[in-house]
Amino acid sequence: DIKTLCTRVREEFIQEPNVLLVDPPVTIVGDIHGQFYDLQELFKVAGKPPDTNYLFMGDYVDRGYFSVETLLLLFAFKVMYPRRVHLIRGNHETRQITQVYGFYDECMRKFGSSEIWELCASAFDALALAALVGKGTGECRFAVHAGLTPGCDTIDQISAIKRVCEVPHEGPMCDLLWSDPEDITGGWGISPRGAGYIFGSDIVTQFNRTNDIKQICRSHQLVMVGYREMFDNGLVTVWSAPNYCYRCGNSGAVLELDENMIRNFATFGPCPTSERVKPSDDSEFQHIPDYFL
């Protein structure tokens, strides 16, 4: 029962801290955006739970044709394997964004009311904000959907955020889900997204040194080859939606960390057309704004 699943998964999320502690081995996944059949391709490459441990970095819904199926599958995996499947919040796991970029409309079309959307949104409110992978190993990774915030210099400060709410329009919680790294010098800059900040190598170096982190892992930005390392490998963007929006022509990638925190980037392409289903009328998707470009 979908209602029971949404309630159960929220109960799992609400018990977790703001910053999850994840032990290796684990596979780190970036944006998926409702591309259900491409998620199946990801599982072919990296393995399915519980055989593979996962950390998903948000943006499960919107833009793709199958946000409902994608999200409910991940919710089911979380309930079935709560210590092997970890989910954190992306900027699309909010009421405001999902009403613009597709998930709300998909729920209305598939269920005939907003009830399931409302239950999903309530579960979104309980999602953790970040994760530490391999803490204490000397190879620790800090995973977050988007980026850093001038409001938090330390992991402890992120852990103190009151997270169970709709994502605010500004402040540290907003920044973690909206900010982007850029090749700028001298601190923080204004984000062209209208939320969060842009930040450069000096910010990353200081944050990593202060918190004993080897690398920040994040998603939030399309990368044509699936991943991109920056700032002397102090930060990596992992993007897991191949051929984003069914037209961008990019690869997808995941970051695999073994039990010794040795990394491997696994890249993959979209599900073959012969193996996917497409809605008979996709005209409703044509009006979605292209803020990602």
Side-chain angles (χ1 to χ4, degrees):
D1 178 78
I2 294 175
K3 297 177 187 177
T4 301
L5 175 60
C6 292
T7 302
R8 281 283 310 280
V9 80
R10 189 183 193 279
E11 291 170 356
E12 288 288 342
F13 293 150
I14 205 76
Q15 296 174 36
E16 296 179 329
N18 285 4
V19 182
L20 305 176
L21 296 179
V22 178
D23 293 324
V26 66
T27 296
I28 301 177
V29 181
D31 289 24
I32 301 168
H33 280 300
Q35 296 183 198
F36 180 78
Y37 289 96
D38 298 323
L39 178 60
Q40 303 308 311
E41 288 295 301
L42 186 160
F43 288 142
K44 290 178 185 178
V45 169
K48 274 190 175 182
D51 297 327
T52 301
N53 301 329
Y54 277 100
L55 170 57
F56 295 90
M57 296 191 293
D59 279 14
Y60 314 113
V61 300
D62 289 338
R63 300 201 182 280
Y65 296 137
F66 300 101
S67 290
V68 167
E69 291 82 356
T70 299
L71 184 67
L72 295 182
L73 178 62
L74 295 179
F75 278 4
F77 279 146
K78 178 63 180 177
V79 170
M80 293 170 66
Y81 313 114
R83 301 300 167 257
R84 291 187 174 274
V85 175
H86 308 277
L87 284 74
I88 64 176
R89 196 171 190 174
N91 65 304
H92 279 260
E93 277 71 60
T94 69
R95 292 166 183 81
Q96 182 179 10
I97 297 297
T98 53
Q99 285 180 292
V100 176
Y101 293 98
F103 181 53
Y104 173 84
D105 292 335
E106 184 180 329
C107 287
M108 291 296 292
R109 189 173 69 256
K110 291 178 176 176
F111 301 114
S113 79
S114 63
E115 183 179 11
I116 299 300
W117 172 79
E118 289 165 357
L119 287 168
C120 291
S122 181
F124 293 161
D125 287 345
L127 280 164
L129 301 179
L132 289 173
V133 181
K135 183 180 180 182
T137 65
E139 299 286 327
C140 182
R141 264 66 170 192
F142 174 70
V144 65
H145 175 67
L148 301 178
T149 171
C152 297
D153 297 323
T154 67
I155 303 297
D156 286 346
Q157 289 173 315
I158 296 172
S159 297
I161 295 171
K162 290 181 169 57
R163 80 170 193 267
V164 185
C165 60
E166 176 76 345
V167 176
H169 294 292
E170 59 185 12
M173 182 172 169
C174 170
D175 300 341
L176 294 170
L177 274 56
W178 280 94
S179 295
D180 294 300
E182 291 285 350
D183 289 312
I184 60 171
T185 56
W188 304 89
I190 297 171
S191 173
R193 295 181 187 266
Y197 293 85
I198 57 173
F199 57 94
S201 61
D202 56 336
I203 298 296
V204 169
T205 299
Q206 182 60 50
F207 183 86
N208 290 357
R209 183 182 298 126
T210 298
N211 295 284
D212 195 22
I213 289 165
K214 180 169 184 177
Q215 187 177 60
I216 297 166
C217 303
R218 46 90 65 178
S219 191
H220 194 51
Q221 283 179 301
L222 171 65
V223 183
M224 291 304 293
V225 298
Y227 66 94
R228 180 191 181 198
E229 292 187 295
M230 299 174 67
F231 310 144
D232 295 323
N233 297 340
L235 178 145
V236 62
T237 299
V238 179
W239 184 265
S240 304
N243 194 31
Y244 182 40
C245 293
Y246 314 108
R247 61 185 172 86
C248 286
N250 61 286
S251 296
V254 295
L255 171 56
E256 300 171 331
L257 296 171
D258 72 8
E259 58 273 15
N260 297 312
M261 294 294 288
I262 296 172
R263 67 180 185 173
N264 176 62
F265 293 102
T267 60
F268 61 99
C271 174
T273 303
S274 61
E275 297 178 20
R276 69 168 70 241
V277 175
K278 183 178 179 181
S280 57
D281 179 14
D282 64 352
S283 60
E284 64 197 87
F285 293 89
Q286 302 306 313
H287 72 282
I288 295 175
D290 285 339
Y291 85 77
F292 74 95
L293 291 176

